[in-house]
């Protein structure tokens, strides 16, 4: 942080969740960095892998249980169909503000120069193969590889 | 504040964006591009024309929208205006900085 007034040069974002609000938060932060001329990389681990898994990425949901900001009683949030309904409502709102869907957002990220990585340990745990992932994903790497990529001045790590 | 760009006195904000589009002409755009280490090619001008038209229509700009414009895709947009394409391109075009997160 000593040089250039702590200017941010690179954002290293770790996505560990697959709820739609978390995935979008990670994507918006990565894209927003690129828009400002800041480098950005995304490391998907654990459930975050769902955001880059071709069969799953279009079926992400918002969490209606254990999410007080939804203002739905937990028991109601747990009813069948509630997650799908809340997700549908949220997607409608996102569409209104010109928010792309997950697949298109991934394409925007890759075209903008965001590097997307998958966590090796989580891939092994879920028995996912590189071929299962969105084609724009760079590679499957270890956490150590990711830390090495984060070396240098003005690099920030963010866990979502 | 005022700044001399291409021999003209131009009103700009603290980020260097023109505050009065009437003061813009191609030589002003070229000089702002030069300050950002960009030499404008006919491809750049196509994008700048598009941006100025959208602003004239008061249609909000975003990276996604530029990418879907049919004028330039996102990858080329970043290649033409490296670093912060939307910011740099709008600055060169003499229009306000878009308040866009996508």
């Amino acid at each position: 942080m000593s040089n250039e007034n702590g200017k941010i040069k690179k954002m290293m974002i770790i996505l560990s969740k697959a709820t739609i609000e978390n995935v979008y938060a990670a994507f918006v932060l990565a894209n927003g960095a690129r828009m400002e001329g800041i480098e950005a990389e995304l490391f998907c681990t654990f459930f975050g892998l769902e955001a880059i898994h071709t069969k799953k990425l279009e079926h992400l949901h918002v969490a209606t249980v254990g999410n007080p900001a939804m203002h739905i009683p937990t028991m109601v949030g747990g009813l069948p169909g509630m997650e799908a309904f809340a997700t549908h409502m949220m997607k409608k709102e996102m569409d209104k503000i010109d928010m792309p869907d997950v697949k298109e957002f991934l394409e925007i990220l890759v075209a903008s120069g965001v590097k997307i990585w998958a966590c090796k340990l989580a891939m092994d745990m879920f028995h996912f193969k590189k071929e299962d992932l969105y084609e724009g994903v760079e590679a499957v790497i270890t956490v150590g590889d990711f830390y090495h990529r984060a070396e240098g001045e003005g690099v920030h790590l963010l866990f979502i | 504040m005022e700044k001399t760009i291409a021999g003209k006195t131009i009103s700009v904000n603290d980020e260097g964006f023109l505050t009065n589009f009437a003061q813009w002409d191609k030589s002003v755009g070229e000089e702002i591009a030069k300050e950002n280490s960009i030499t404008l090619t006919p491809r750049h001008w196509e994008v700048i024309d598009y941006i100025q038209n959208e602003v004239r229509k008061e249609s909000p700009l975003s990276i996604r929208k530029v990418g879907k414009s049919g004028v330039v895709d996102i990858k080329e947009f970043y290649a033409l205006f490296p670093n912060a394409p939307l910011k740099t391109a709008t600055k060169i075009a003499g229009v306000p900085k878009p308040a866009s997160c996508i």
Side-chain angles (χ1 to χ4, degrees):
Chain A
M1 299 283 276
S2 54
N3 291 340
E4 299 184 54
N5 288 326
K7 196 170 188 289
I8 301 173
K9 288 186 182 155
K10 190 163 162 185
M11 287 300 295
M12 303 295 280
I13 300 164
I14 302 157
L15 175 63
S16 69
K17 300 179 189 78
T19 40
I20 212 158
E21 70 272 24
N22 286 295
V23 170
Y24 272 91
F27 285 10
V28 170
L29 286 161
N31 182 60
R34 293 298 302 128
M35 285 175 70
E36 292 299 315
I38 297 165
E39 283 182 66
E41 301 198 11
L42 194 62
F43 183 66
C44 298
T45 185
F46 272 79
F47 299 114
L49 284 175
E50 299 223 341
I52 53 171
H53 189 291
T54 44
K55 291 213 174 71
K56 297 171 190 280
L57 61 88
E58 280 170 86
H59 307 286
L60 304 182
H61 276 181
V62 58
T64 48
V65 173
N67 182 0
M70 287 299 290
H71 304 289
I72 301 173
T74 295
M75 298 298 280
V76 177
L79 291 174
M82 270 314 284
E83 257 193 24
F85 172 71
T87 302
H88 174 73
M89 293 306 287
M90 187 177 267
K91 282 186 175 168
K92 245 171 78 177
E93 287 305 312
M94 283 175 168
D95 202 43
K96 276 190 215 159
I97 58 164
D98 204 30
M99 196 77 135
D101 62 27
V102 173
K103 177 81 195 299
E104 189 195 335
F105 215 147
L106 282 170
E107 283 161 9
I108 293 175
L109 293 179
V110 171
S112 305
V114 175
K115 288 201 162 56
I116 304 174
W117 308 99
C119 166
K120 185 176 182 307
L121 187 63
M123 289 286 285
D124 291 347
M125 196 185 95
F126 289 116
H127 307 291
F128 290 167
K129 291 194 264 326
K130 173 75 170 67
E131 307 87 79
D132 300 331
L133 303 180
Y134 169 64
E135 60 195 3
V137 173
E138 297 277 331
V140 179
I141 63 171
T142 66
V143 65
D145 295 332
F146 184 70
Y147 277 137
H148 284 302
R149 300 196 59 82
E151 283 168 5
E153 205 152 340
V155 183
H156 292 240
L157 281 111
L158 185 64
F159 183 84
I160 297 173
Chain B
M1 89 185 139
E2 295 201 320
K3 197 177 160 188
T4 306
I5 304 175
K8 298 175 200 59
T9 307
I10 309 277
S11 310
V12 293
N13 69 10
D14 53 359
E15 284 186 290
F17 284 82
L18 266 67
T19 51
N20 179 6
F21 182 67
Q23 295 177 333
W24 185 90
D25 63 26
K26 286 200 168 187
S27 65
V28 172
E30 262 157 16
E31 185 148 330
I32 298 172
K34 213 181 289 167
E35 280 173 22
N36 287 274
S37 319
I38 295 169
T39 309
L40 297 176
T41 65
R43 277 304 280 152
H44 290 94
W45 284 113
E46 279 176 50
V47 177
I48 292 165
D49 281 344
Y50 163 76
I51 285 172
Q52 289 174 341
N53 277 329
E54 289 305 303
V55 173
R56 245 174 245 129
K57 285 190 274 179
E58 290 180 26
S59 153
L61 285 164
S62 69
I63 290 273
R64 184 192 190 203
K65 207 174 135 191
V66 173
K68 284 187 161 187
S69 64
V71 177
V72 65
D73 65 23
I74 294 175
K75 208 169 175 177
E76 192 189 356
F77 190 37
Y78 271 91
L80 289 169
F81 302 92
N83 295 323
L86 199 56
K87 257 170 81 173
T88 310
T90 46
K91 194 185 275 184
I92 294 169
V95 300
K97 181 172 98 170
S100 160
C101 293
I102 320 171

